[in-house]
Amino acid sequence: MEKNHIDYIRTLISRNVGVLNKLRYSFPPSILQLLYSTLILPHLNYGILAWGNAAACYLEKVLLLQKKAVRIINNVDYLAHTNVIFLEKCILKVSDLYSYNLCQFMYSVNNGKAPTILQTMFNRNNRYHNHSTRQSSLFHLPLFRSLSAQRTFLFTGPKSWNSLEKSLRESA
């Protein structure tokens, strides 16, 4: 299922990268970056919690399209390194977008701002034992046997949130 969705996203993004490529000589980089934010970024963000932690072989193809778009925006050679460009333009790679959206989601769960149905999917450690420990306020990591289940946001969300520094978890 992830593969089908990622293939669909790649099709949409590829079409929009083609649009950027046709407009690269007509507009300055600032306008091209706005077009990237309008034509490509929404497709990357939509449902990223469901597909953003898929196998690397699927995500690599999306990242290649993203790199192509960034090169077009900056009018650089197709073999140019993109890490510097991503940093200069403040554009998040697809894996970073997943991490960012996951942390935003877990923040809303932690602060009771997520829908009730999602709130009930995550439990704290203090629900499983009565004694007070340093980790009693952290989210309980569910037991999943398969690696594919461990890549879902039900597992990676609490794991990522628990790995944050205490000052970040407690910030409002």
Side-chain angles (χ1 to χ4, degrees):
M1 183 166 197
E2 287 175 343
K3 181 187 180 311
N4 294 338
H5 185 72
I6 292 172
D7 287 342
Y8 177 71
I9 289 171
R10 283 183 39 226
T11 302
L12 293 173
I13 292 173
S14 180
R15 186 178 310 135
N16 291 331
V17 167
V19 170
L20 275 181
N21 194 32
K22 288 181 181 182
L23 298 173
R24 77 188 303 173
Y25 300 111
S26 302
F27 294 106
S30 60
I31 299 298
L32 292 174
Q33 188 169 351
L34 282 174
L35 287 171
Y36 169 86
S37 297
T38 305
L39 298 173
I40 295 171
L41 191 58
H43 297 296
L44 291 173
N45 277 323
Y46 182 74
I48 196 164
L49 291 181
W51 62 267
N53 204 24
C57 61
Y58 300 138
L59 294 179
E60 183 66 26
K61 294 173 183 178
V62 176
L63 179 62
L64 289 175
L65 285 171
Q66 202 179 13
K67 287 180 176 183
K68 187 174 183 177
V70 166
R71 288 183 182 114
I72 290 169
I73 290 170
N74 288 290
N75 200 20
V76 295
D77 186 54
Y78 72 97
L79 292 175
H81 290 285
T82 56
N83 287 338
V84 174
I85 300 171
F86 276 106
L87 286 173
E88 285 176 359
K89 297 294 181 178
C90 298
I91 297 174
L92 295 176
K93 295 179 183 178
V94 66
S95 58
D96 297 329
L97 277 173
Y98 173 77
S99 298
Y100 176 73
N101 281 294
L102 184 65
C103 287
Q104 274 189 324
F105 172 73
M106 289 308 296
Y107 177 85
S108 64
V109 169
N110 186 59
N111 292 309
K113 296 178 181 179
T116 308
I117 190 75
L118 294 174
Q119 290 283 142
T120 59
M121 293 179 166
F122 301 95
N123 296 312
R124 305 259 182 202
N125 284 332
N126 59 11
R127 182 172 180 203
Y128 296 96
H129 55 78
N130 294 330
H131 50 281
S132 180
T133 64
R134 284 178 289 178
Q135 297 183 353
S136 62
S137 64
L138 298 178
F139 286 105
H140 180 73
L141 288 178
L143 179 63
F144 290 127
R145 294 183 183 180
S146 70
L147 290 176
S148 60
Q150 289 180 4
R151 283 201 302 257
T152 65
F153 74 93
L154 296 173
F155 184 82
T156 57
K159 185 175 179 181
S160 296
W161 184 259
N162 293 346
S163 69
L164 292 174
E165 291 181 23
K166 187 177 180 180
S167 61
L168 285 175
R169 287 192 313 262
E170 294 175 352
S171 66

